[in-house]
Amino acid sequence: MKLFEFEAKDILRKYGVEVPPGVVVGKTDDVEARIKEAGLEPPLVVKSQVLVAGRGKAGGIKLVNSVEEAVETAKRLFETPIKGLKPSYILIEKAIPHDVELYAAIVIDRSERKPVVLASRYGGMDIEEIAREKPESIVRQYIDPFVGLKGYQARLIGKKIGLTGKALASFAMFLQALYRAFVEYDAELAESNPLALVGDKVIPLDARIIVDDNALFKHPELRTARVEESGEYTEWEVKARKLGLAFVELDGDIGVIGNGAGLTMTTMDLVYEFGGRPANFLDIGGGASAELVKTAVGFLMEMPKVKKIFMNIFGGITRCDEVAKGIVKAIEELGGLKKPLVVRLSGTNEEEGRRILREHGLEAYTDPIEAVKRVISL
Amino acid sequence: MKLFEFEAKDILRKYGVEVPPGVVVGKTDDVEARIKEAGLEPPLVVKSQVLVAGRGKAGGIKLVNSVEEAVETAKRLFETPIKGLKPSYILIEKAIPHDVELYAAIVIDRSERKPVVLASRYGGMDIEEIAREKPESIVRQYIDPFVGLKGYQARLIGKKIGLTGKALASFAMFLQALYRAFVEYDAELAESNPLALVGDKVIPLDARIIVDDNALFKHPELRTARVEESGEYTEWEVKARKLGLAFVELDGDIGVIGNGAGLTMTTMDLVYEFGGRPANFLDIGGGASAELVKTAVGFLMEMPKVKKIFMNIFGGITRCDEVAKGIVKAIEELGGLKKPLVVRLSGTNEEEGRRILREHGLEAYTDPIEAVKRVISL
Amino acid sequence: MAVLVGEDTRVIVQGITGREGSFHTKLMLEYGTKIVAGVTPGKGGQEVHGVPVYDTMEEAVAEHPEANTSIIFVPARFASDAVYEAIDAGMKVVVVITEHIPVHETMKFVNYAKSKGTVIIGPNCPGIITPGAAKVGIMPGHIFKPGPVGIVSRSGTLTYEIAYSLTRAGIGQSTAIGIGGDPIVGLTFTEAMEYFEKDPQTKVLVLIGEIGGDMEERAAKMIEEGRFTKPVVAFIAGRTAPPGKRMGHAGAIIMMGTGSYQDKVKALEKAGVRVARIPQEIPKLVEEVL
Amino acid sequence: MAVLVGEDTRVIVQGITGREGSFHTKLMLEYGTKIVAGVTPGKGGQEVHGVPVYDTMEEAVAEHPEANTSIIFVPARFASDAVYEAIDAGMKVVVVITEHIPVHETMKFVNYAKSKGTVIIGPNCPGIITPGAAKVGIMPGHIFKPGPVGIVSRSGTLTYEIAYSLTRAGIGQSTAIGIGGDPIVGLTFTEAMEYFEKDPQTKVLVLIGEIGGDMEERAAKMIEEGRFTKPVVAFIAGRTAPPGKRMGHAGAIIMMGTGSYQDKVKALEKAGVRVARIPQEIPKLVEEVL
């Protein structure tokens, strides 16, 4: 789960990092009063709190020179969709004059299976751009997850991106706070970009933290209505998340359900390969219950852009009989099949699954190629 | 630094352990009101909060059957010295009926250089007694300090002391809380004895935590006036601790100062060996400044039981010239030598040290045997 | 011969009394896997499908010192603890079926396992099967048959799909390993390939990848540098997945400019690997190099 | 020949610009120790007594790849960090002079060092000296001279006392190690004894113990079991210390029913070790077994 900029900054502040003074406003707030309450003096930066990349280029960040201008800009940004959705919050911060923009991030390195600190003298752009334009500027330091980021490592990284003296000490302290956030919030990513160098100290102008969804249970304070507010998901993706479905909306018309991300993606690939266009990705995962299958089928049946559904199941820990029961339940609850449904069943308890479907007038395919051809032809 | 029972229990409560309901009262408190406020119903246990071992046998723990009796008992305990000193606090707790008393502790094992969990089915006595009477009952589990105490290990320990089912689960959770206290408070020891088994759950009837003095800077909330309140130190030991001196009071009349615990203890041994009786142990440690030496000498000069002083210094990181300067300062501030002082100096900057002392009319010895014989003969 | 599990494998099932643990214990036994014990805290003394259950791994190993492999069906919140227990009990191979384990926890136990010389397969994986000898996982056994093709895969169900298509084409498998779909896994492609390289039974390797990460690129590099010398045929899932979207719980996601379908295919083809466009092409490609 | 440090020792001083670091760098140089670099964060580019200073160990080692030993004079709050830096920079021996390091921190870096094959001496110790070859510590150099007696000691100043009495009696030392007085130290008596056992120069070992802990008892056991075969002479400080009182910052304390003077002497004498009543008896006892 991606945290909002202001949430990430709150965490860093809690860990002793100096962040720009600011205030978060909602749509119904008296923005002028909130700015004055917070004692913020112009120039200010007004920042749309959305969770998509490229917010700056999309017009979501504005520098203003008066409180009135800030109020106006906030009003306008609330109505400005960034990549499709309007923000629920706006962060208004004191503008911090600075010369140098650094980059600092901590991510999990999949190959080394360790945290890796990434840092560069050339922040401001995204890491891909830095990697392309100044690849030699990216410093990497792998961290032993049991030992953690040591002070000496933080200083070494700072030194390698050209910092010295007090600026180096400030950067090292910032990195240790960022690492603490990374660990204590079970983060997949903790990043500041740009991390401004202001005289002798570093100040994060932006901050991003992505919390591992599997660890959210450890952080009940983070369970907010974020899904709707994030600007990260389409309307149907929001609905799906609330139902606990692993769902991504696409632009075609064939609803796709599979078990396992690999098979579901491959099912999409097959649909394309034989001339169709998938409307979505929907992975019922491993060991799905009849109830979850019913929810998934019902969900696609209700989604207008889905004209027909292709369900591709190869049972392992998932049992074909449970899947069949779920399909039957969905049909019964909907009072019959609303849209064409093509099912492919193989694997664990396959025969029992077929039998259940047959009893309800559905014939499951064995060969996915035949099945995909069939659904496209409908 | 030893924490009081009530402090240790507060920490365990913070980590989710159920401890007996109770209230801590001071000398000037309205004990009856405090008991009623806390909603405590008799029978109650009234416990003197002193930091010495064997409190129960010394009469510091009383079971009472009414609030009046509790009030009276508290009054009496405030006036009852336990091993020399009266308590500043009394803990009044609900009495917890129970059948079984367990033992659980976590200490640092010096040889393995790892934390070790100790547990026994036979709590209530001290660990030495358990070790003597039921050595086979003590379960030991070493812990990887980077990995920490795993749930499976906690269960394994519980199983080995004969617990099963819910009691085992409760014990395992308790151990994990105790381990957390051990780590987060930089403890040398975290212990509960007795740890009562009450139906399906464990409840610590007593709790002890000793915090590493070297880590106290991490726990500013623990810096209290405890030294005076603890009942752990004599009047002169309390004074010494406030001056930052590593000092232990003994029952002889020869004041002993050395540098390094080993040499200082050996100096005591030498005094005994040649027929004297040391009044104390006072270690000025490594690299002592003239200021610290002055404080140490001045301290013993003022202490009535000290009739003469033997200072045994072998310089390493400690410099003999600094020591000599400190002695001179002390003499100057006191307006002359109040008591006979015999000094032995060897090691780093020895010649310079001798020269300084000689200028002030003091001749330092080279041979500690000659020096100790001299001081005893005075 | 085979890879990591075989005739000598003796299995302890951790979480044996749970729904999945019990169900798959039955299927593994039916397949012929030698399961010597099960562990569920608090359930010691029971039996599951004739397998004795213990409270702790220590007790299970004391009674069954021949045990060398464990498979974990413990719920996510307790799964890491079970992994440490298995490692500390001396298991050589630990198969972690459980999904939704926090990635920081996985990162730690994988590093711990490495320091102790234990091989972790998974988490969030279907397990490992050496057809005809031992199935330590949740894959349907009947779709496999013994033969010369090694399979290493990031996707469970795709492994079944492809193994089944091989079996129907008359081509058997030496060992099939589903390494798991989480961002951090205990056994990577290249590590698995080191085992397959040494296995005389394996003549061809089928590599089943996904978008995201750089494990396929590293496999390609290993082949290019001559550290893996057997013919390799590959399939990569996610050709048509949109970048920047997380596909499924497991987190197949194209991030940080690496891990796109095109990059992976390019790297593999450069290393001489034939990449199938759809899984059903695999048997044909395998036949061509066998 | 000698133990752990000798002619090949090349030293980096961590915390070289501090008061103690700078003072003892001078004394070590005067003794003839080969100090190749110093490290103090933020002070890179300076020189201390002619020794070049770097900001980090990585830089120091890059410029002086022959460095194999470090000595740490860093204040307690930063000392652990310096230890990890030294280990990660590949030092074979790290001498930690600093006192007052929290014991949980020491416990961790000692375990970490072990996993990396680094020997930690200390913390809260005087260091190690091979007379005539290298002094990596804060002991007065002139009280030692080369010879056949190994010394291993829990007490700094007692080491000086006893070494000096040996030297005055005309008996030199192979190597003297002050292992430090903290509850947890990197090198224990028995570990040090393994090195002395293998060292041909060492003919006799002087073991200087203290009350508290069970290191002396373990040394006695090692001797009794024949794992240390050279003659041993011992002195134990604290014969007259009252039980249950902590003697000094370092924590010589008799706890948990172990570690009393009597226990230690009994264990050592049972193993055939001659225990001196006062330090000044040591030279005579050594002469008797030399």
Side-chain angles (χ1 to χ4, degrees):
Chain A
M1 185 178 76
K2 295 178 182 170
L3 302 190
F4 287 113
E5 176 190 4
F6 69 86
E7 294 174 308
K9 284 181 171 170
D10 281 348
I11 290 169
L12 291 176
R13 188 186 288 117
K14 188 171 78 180
Y15 294 159
V17 172
E18 181 180 337
V19 300
V23 64
V24 182
V25 299
K27 262 180 199 165
T28 57
D29 286 356
D30 179 341
V31 176
E32 189 176 342
R34 298 292 310 283
I35 291 174
K36 293 200 164 148
E37 236 171 71
L40 296 175
E41 298 284 340
L44 301 170
V45 187
V46 185
K47 307 171 89 174
S48 187
Q49 296 295 285
V50 289
L51 294 172
V52 292
R55 171 181 64 152
K57 284 182 194 155
I61 301 178
K62 299 288 178 194
L63 179 69
V64 299
N65 286 305
S66 69
V67 172
E68 302 98 75
E69 205 188 332
V71 174
E72 267 167 48
T73 305
K75 196 169 288 175
R76 207 171 63 241
L77 285 186
F78 273 125
E79 298 309 319
T80 307
I82 307 286
K83 302 204 175 168
L85 261 155
K86 297 174 187 170
S88 298
Y89 304 105
I90 291 203
L91 174 62
I92 302 170
E93 281 183 341
K94 202 161 165 44
I96 306 287
H98 60 277
D99 300 316
V100 181
E101 295 191 338
L102 309 171
Y103 176 91
I106 303 165
V107 295
I108 292 175
D109 187 281
R110 291 174 172 225
S111 304
E112 293 291 325
R113 286 162 289 193
K114 285 180 178 167
V116 60
V117 179
L118 304 170
S120 172
R121 180 90 185 169
Y122 304 95
M125 358 184 216
D126 69 25
I127 188 71
E128 276 115 85
E129 246 179 287
I130 301 173
R132 204 163 48 239
E133 297 186 8
K134 311 246 181 196
E136 73 296 344
S137 86
I138 300 178
V139 173
R140 270 163 227 269
Q141 172 82 47
Y142 293 100
I143 307 300
D144 180 328
F146 286 103
V147 175
L149 174 69
K150 291 285 145 193
Y152 93 81
Q153 294 171 317
R155 289 194 304 273
L156 202 57
I157 296 162
K159 200 141 195 232
K160 286 184 181 166
I161 63 166
L163 300 177
T164 56
K166 285 185 184 167
L168 174 58
S170 169
F171 176 80
M173 281 180 63
F174 171 79
L175 263 194
Q176 288 190 290
L178 193 68
Y179 191 82
R180 192 171 161 199
F182 173 77
V183 170
E184 294 190 4
Y185 283 85
D186 281 271
E188 295 177 345
L189 167 81
E191 179 186 74
S192 175
N193 185 27
L195 175 66
L197 185 57
V198 182
D200 266 353
K201 62 189 176 195
V202 298
I203 296 180
L205 299 190
D206 197 359
R208 267 202 327 150
I209 293 176
I210 303 178
V211 178
D212 175 9
D213 286 346
N214 288 338
L216 280 178
F217 73 93
K218 296 183 189 174
H219 306 283
E221 76 282 7
L222 294 179
R223 291 187 170 282
T224 66
R226 185 185 323 266
V227 167
E228 280 138 290
E229 297 168 344
S230 69
E232 197 183 352
Y233 302 109
T234 68
E235 179 196 345
W236 284 87
E237 285 172 349
V238 169
K239 284 186 191 175
R241 287 182 77 94
K242 287 185 180 167
L243 292 168
L245 297 175
F247 171 89
V248 176
E249 187 168 344
L250 304 169
D251 50 13
D253 61 349
I254 300 178
V256 167
I257 302 179
N259 63 321
L263 184 64
T264 311
M265 283 194 288
T266 302
T267 308
M268 284 160 47
D269 297 345
L270 283 177
V271 168
Y272 267 107
E273 186 70 15
F274 290 95
R277 302 271 290 168
N280 71 286
F281 165 99
L282 199 173
D283 173 14
I284 58 169
S289 65
E291 193 58 31
L292 181 73
V293 172
K294 185 202 81 181
T295 305
V297 173
F299 182 78
L300 291 192
M301 286 286 178
E302 275 177 31
M303 193 175 167
K305 82 197 295 181
V306 172
K307 302 304 176 204
K308 43 201 178 183
I309 299 172
F310 176 28
M311 208 165 162
N312 188 9
I313 303 297
F314 206 121
I317 200 161
T318 303
R319 307 184 201 167
C320 291
D321 54 330
E322 281 288 306
V323 172
K325 280 179 202 157
I327 294 171
V328 166
K329 271 195 190 178
I331 296 172
E332 282 171 355
E333 279 192 16
L334 293 163
L337 267 181
K338 297 270 161 93
K339 296 170 185 174
L341 171 68
V342 173
V343 180
R344 181 270 178 129
L345 276 188
S346 282
T348 309
N349 295 4
E350 171 180 336
E351 287 317 314
E352 176 67 5
R354 275 177 205 293
R355 196 190 54 71
I356 293 168
L357 289 183
R358 205 174 296 125
E359 276 177 11
H360 292 77
L362 263 174
E363 198 61 47
Y365 285 79
T366 302
D367 181 351
I369 307 294
E370 279 176 35
V372 72
K373 285 180 180 166
R374 170 71 183 152
V375 77
I376 289 167
S377 74
L378 284 172
Chain B
M1 185 178 76
K2 295 178 182 169
L3 302 191
F4 286 113
E5 176 190 6
F6 69 87
E7 293 174 308
K9 283 181 171 171
D10 280 349
I11 290 169
L12 291 176
R13 188 187 287 116
K14 188 172 77 181
Y15 295 159
V17 172
E18 180 179 338
V19 301
V23 65
V24 182
V25 298
K27 263 180 197 163
T28 58
D29 286 356
D30 179 340
V31 176
E32 188 176 344
R34 298 292 309 282
I35 292 174
K36 293 201 164 146
E37 238 172 68
L40 295 176
E41 299 282 344
L44 300 171
V45 187
V46 184
K47 308 172 88 174
S48 187
Q49 296 295 285
V50 289
L51 295 174
V52 292
R55 173 181 60 155
K57 284 181 194 155
I61 301 178
K62 299 288 177 196
L63 179 69
V64 299
N65 287 306
S66 70
V67 171
E68 301 98 76
E69 204 188 332
V71 173
E72 267 166 47
T73 306
K75 197 170 286 176
R76 208 173 60 243
L77 285 186
F78 272 125
E79 298 310 319
T80 307
I82 307 286
K83 303 204 174 169
L85 262 154
K86 297 175 186 169
S88 298
Y89 304 104
I90 289 193
L91 174 62
I92 302 169
E93 281 184 341
K94 203 161 167 42
I96 307 287
H98 60 277
D99 302 315
V100 182
E101 295 192 339
L102 309 171
Y103 176 91
I106 304 165
V107 294
I108 292 176
D109 186 281
R110 290 174 173 226
S111 305
E112 293 291 324
R113 285 162 291 193
K114 284 179 180 170
V116 61
V117 180
L118 303 171
S120 172
R121 179 90 183 170
Y122 303 97
M125 6 184 207
D126 69 25
I127 187 70
E128 276 114 87
E129 245 179 288
I130 302 172
R132 203 166 46 241
E133 297 187 7
K134 311 246 183 196
E136 73 295 344
S137 86
I138 299 178
V139 173
R140 270 163 228 268
Q141 172 82 47
Y142 294 100
I143 306 300
D144 180 328
F146 287 102
V147 176
L149 175 69
K150 291 285 145 192
Y152 93 82
Q153 294 170 318
R155 288 193 305 272
L156 202 56
I157 297 162
K159 194 134 200 240
K160 286 184 181 168
I161 64 166
L163 301 177
T164 55
K166 284 185 186 169
L168 174 58
S170 169
F171 176 81
M173 279 181 63
F174 172 79
L175 264 195
Q176 288 190 291
L178 194 68
Y179 191 82
R180 193 171 160 198
F182 173 77
V183 170
E184 294 190 4
Y185 283 86
D186 281 272
E188 295 177 347
L189 167 81
E191 180 186 73
S192 176
N193 185 28
L195 175 66
L197 186 56
V198 182
D200 267 351
K201 63 188 174 195
V202 299
I203 296 180
L205 299 190
D206 196 358
R208 266 202 328 150
I209 293 176
I210 303 177
V211 178
D212 176 9
D213 286 346
N214 288 337
L216 281 176
F217 73 92
K218 295 182 189 174
H219 306 283
E221 77 283 6
L222 295 179
R223 290 185 170 282
T224 67
R226 183 185 326 264
V227 166
E228 279 138 291
E229 297 168 344
S230 67
E232 195 184 355
Y233 302 109
T234 68
E235 180 196 344
W236 284 87
E237 285 173 348
V238 169
K239 283 186 191 173
R241 287 182 78 93
K242 286 184 180 168
L243 292 168
L245 297 175
F247 171 90
V248 176
E249 188 169 341
L250 304 169
D251 50 12
D253 62 349
I254 301 178
V256 167
I257 303 179
N259 63 321
L263 184 64
T264 312
M265 284 192 289
T266 302
T267 308
M268 285 161 44
D269 298 345
L270 284 178
V271 168
Y272 267 107
E273 186 69 16
F274 290 94
R277 302 272 290 167
N280 70 285
F281 164 98
L282 200 172
D283 173 14
I284 59 168
S289 64
E291 193 58 31
L292 181 73
V293 173
K294 186 201 78 180
T295 305
V297 172
F299 183 78
L300 291 193
M301 287 286 177
E302 274 176 33
M303 194 174 166
K305 83 197 296 181
V306 171
K307 302 304 176 204
K308 44 199 176 180
I309 300 171
F310 177 28
M311 208 164 163
N312 188 10
I313 303 297
F314 206 122
I317 200 162
T318 303
R319 305 183 202 169
C320 292
D321 56 330
E322 282 286 308
V323 172
K325 280 179 204 159
I327 294 172
V328 167
K329 271 195 193 179
I331 296 173
E332 282 170 357
E333 280 191 15
L334 293 164
L337 267 181
K338 299 269 160 97
K339 297 170 185 174
L341 171 68
V342 173
V343 181
R344 180 271 179 130
L345 276 188
S346 282
T348 309
N349 295 6
E350 172 181 336
E351 287 317 315
E352 176 67 6
R354 273 177 206 292
R355 197 190 55 71
I356 293 168
L357 288 183
R358 204 174 298 125
E359 276 177 9
H360 292 79
L362 264 174
E363 197 63 46
Y365 286 80
T366 303
D367 180 349
I369 307 295
E370 280 176 35
V372 74
K373 286 181 179 165
R374 169 68 184 155
V375 78
I376 288 168
S377 73
L378 283 171
Chain C
M1 278 300 295
V3 167
L4 289 166
V5 303
E7 294 293 348
D8 298 334
T9 295
R10 297 294 178 278
V11 178
I12 300 179
V13 178
Q14 292 178 264
I16 194 171
T17 58
R19 183 172 173 273
E20 298 302 336
S22 156
F23 178 70
H24 285 285
T25 294
K26 181 160 165 280
L27 295 186
M28 286 189 280
L29 286 169
E30 286 170 5
Y31 192 78
T33 306
K34 292 172 190 82
I35 301 179
V36 297
V39 169
T40 300
K43 302 283 169 85
Q46 301 185 3
E47 283 203 350
V48 171
H49 306 300
V51 174
V53 179
Y54 300 87
D55 283 330
T56 65
M57 282 295 284
E58 186 170 292
E59 291 163 294
V61 169
E63 291 295 320
H64 306 278
E66 72 280 18
N68 51 21
T69 302
S70 98
I71 180 166
I72 293 179
F73 289 97
V74 170
R77 292 202 193 185
F78 309 105
S80 301
D81 196 59
V83 176
Y84 286 98
E85 186 170 11
I87 297 167
D88 290 345
M91 296 297 102
K92 292 291 157 228
V93 175
V94 178
V95 176
V96 188
I97 303 299
T98 311
E99 56 177 340
H100 301 308
I101 299 177
V103 66
H104 280 245
E105 290 184 16
T106 302
M107 183 163 64
K108 284 188 153 186
F109 70 61
V110 166
N111 278 278
Y112 184 72
K114 198 168 288 191
S115 76
K116 301 284 178 180
T118 299
V119 175
I120 303 276
I121 298 174
N124 187 17
C125 81
I128 178 169
I129 183 169
T130 291
K135 171 181 120 158
V136 187
I138 59 173
M139 58 287 280
H142 71 275
I143 62 173
F144 295 87
K145 73 165 202 171
V149 177
I151 298 179
V152 58
S153 170
R154 286 172 64 188
S155 161
T157 39
L158 264 183
T159 311
Y160 314 160
E161 187 79 274
I162 288 170
Y164 196 30
S165 69
L166 285 166
T167 296
R168 279 185 302 179
I171 307 168
Q173 303 89 39
S174 53
T175 297
I177 310 175
I179 64 168
D182 276 4
I184 301 288
V185 292
L187 187 75
T188 61
F189 273 173
T190 48
E191 287 164 346
M193 286 160 69
E194 287 174 25
Y195 291 103
F196 281 114
E197 175 72 6
K198 288 188 217 122
D199 173 40
Q201 184 185 337
T202 304
K203 305 298 180 200
V204 177
L205 181 70
V206 172
L207 190 148
I208 306 171
E210 271 180 20
I211 52 169
D214 66 350
M215 243 190 253
E216 294 80 4
E217 286 87 337
R218 286 181 182 248
K221 189 154 173 260
M222 184 177 178
I223 297 164
E224 222 179 335
E225 294 175 357
R227 290 179 287 124
F228 188 84
T229 59
K230 301 180 182 185
V232 180
V233 168
F235 174 75
I236 308 294
R239 177 159 48 90
T240 63
K245 285 281 191 177
R246 192 173 294 238
M247 306 306 279
H249 290 300
I253 180 173
I254 300 168
M255 259 180 88
M256 299 243 168
T258 62
S260 76
Y261 180 83
Q262 287 73 18
D263 288 351
K264 289 178 190 298
V265 171
K266 207 172 130 191
L268 287 166
E269 288 184 340
K270 183 156 166 266
V273 174
R274 300 199 52 186
V275 183
R277 253 182 98 79
I278 61 172
Q280 289 71 21
E281 283 175 22
I282 293 276
K284 190 170 62 71
L285 296 179
V286 168
E287 268 168 3
E288 289 174 16
V289 293
L290 249 184
Chain D
M1 279 300 296
V3 166
L4 289 167
V5 303
E7 296 293 346
D8 299 334
T9 294
R10 297 294 179 276
V11 178
I12 299 179
V13 179
Q14 293 179 262
I16 194 171
T17 59
R19 182 173 174 273
E20 298 303 335
S22 156
F23 178 71
H24 285 285
T25 294
K26 182 160 162 281
L27 295 185
M28 286 188 279
L29 286 169
E30 285 169 7
Y31 193 79
T33 306
K34 291 172 191 82
I35 301 180
V36 297
V39 168
T40 300
K43 302 284 169 86
Q46 302 184 3
E47 283 203 349
V48 172
H49 304 301
V51 174
V53 179
Y54 300 87
D55 283 330
T56 66
M57 283 294 284
E58 185 171 292
E59 291 163 294
V61 169
E63 292 295 320
H64 306 278
E66 71 280 17
N68 50 22
T69 302
S70 98
I71 181 165
I72 293 179
F73 289 97
V74 171
R77 292 202 192 184
F78 309 105
S80 302
D81 196 58
V83 176
Y84 286 99
E85 186 171 10
I87 298 166
D88 291 345
M91 296 298 100
K92 292 291 156 226
V93 176
V94 177
V95 176
V96 188
I97 302 300
T98 311
E99 57 177 339
H100 300 309
I101 299 177
V103 66
H104 280 246
E105 290 184 17
T106 302
M107 183 164 63
K108 285 188 154 188
F109 70 61
V110 166
N111 278 279
Y112 184 71
K114 198 168 287 190
S115 76
K116 301 284 177 179
T118 299
V119 174
I120 303 276
I121 298 174
N124 188 18
C125 82
I128 178 169
I129 184 168
T130 292
K135 172 181 118 158
V136 187
I138 58 174
M139 58 287 280
H142 71 275
I143 62 173
F144 295 88
K145 73 165 201 170
V149 178
I151 299 179
V152 59
S153 170
R154 284 172 66 187
S155 160
T157 39
L158 265 181
T159 311
Y160 314 159
E161 187 79 274
I162 288 170
Y164 196 30
S165 70
L166 286 167
T167 296
R168 279 184 304 179
I171 307 168
Q173 303 90 39
S174 54
T175 297
I177 309 175
I179 64 169
D182 277 3
I184 301 288
V185 292
L187 187 76
T188 61
F189 274 172
T190 48
E191 287 164 346
M193 286 160 71
E194 287 174 25
Y195 291 103
F196 281 114
E197 174 74 6
K198 288 188 216 121
D199 173 40
Q201 184 185 335
T202 303
K203 306 296 179 200
V204 177
L205 182 69
V206 173
L207 190 148
I208 306 171
E210 273 180 17
I211 52 168
D214 67 349
M215 244 189 252
E216 294 79 4
E217 287 85 338
R218 286 181 183 247
K221 190 156 175 257
M222 185 176 177
I223 297 163
E224 221 178 337
E225 293 176 356
R227 290 179 287 122
F228 188 84
T229 58
K230 302 180 181 184
V232 179
V233 168
F235 174 76
I236 309 294
R239 177 159 47 92
T240 63
K245 285 281 189 176
R246 191 174 293 238
M247 307 304 280
H249 290 301
I253 180 173
I254 300 168
M255 259 178 88
M256 298 243 167
T258 62
S260 76
Y261 179 83
Q262 287 71 19
D263 288 351
K264 288 179 192 297
V265 171
K266 205 171 132 193
L268 287 166
E269 288 183 341
K270 182 156 167 264
V273 174
R274 301 199 52 188
V275 183
R277 252 182 101 77
I278 60 172
Q280 290 70 22
E281 284 175 22
I282 293 278
K284 189 170 61 73
L285 296 180
V286 169
E287 268 168 4
E288 291 174 14
V289 292
L290 248 184

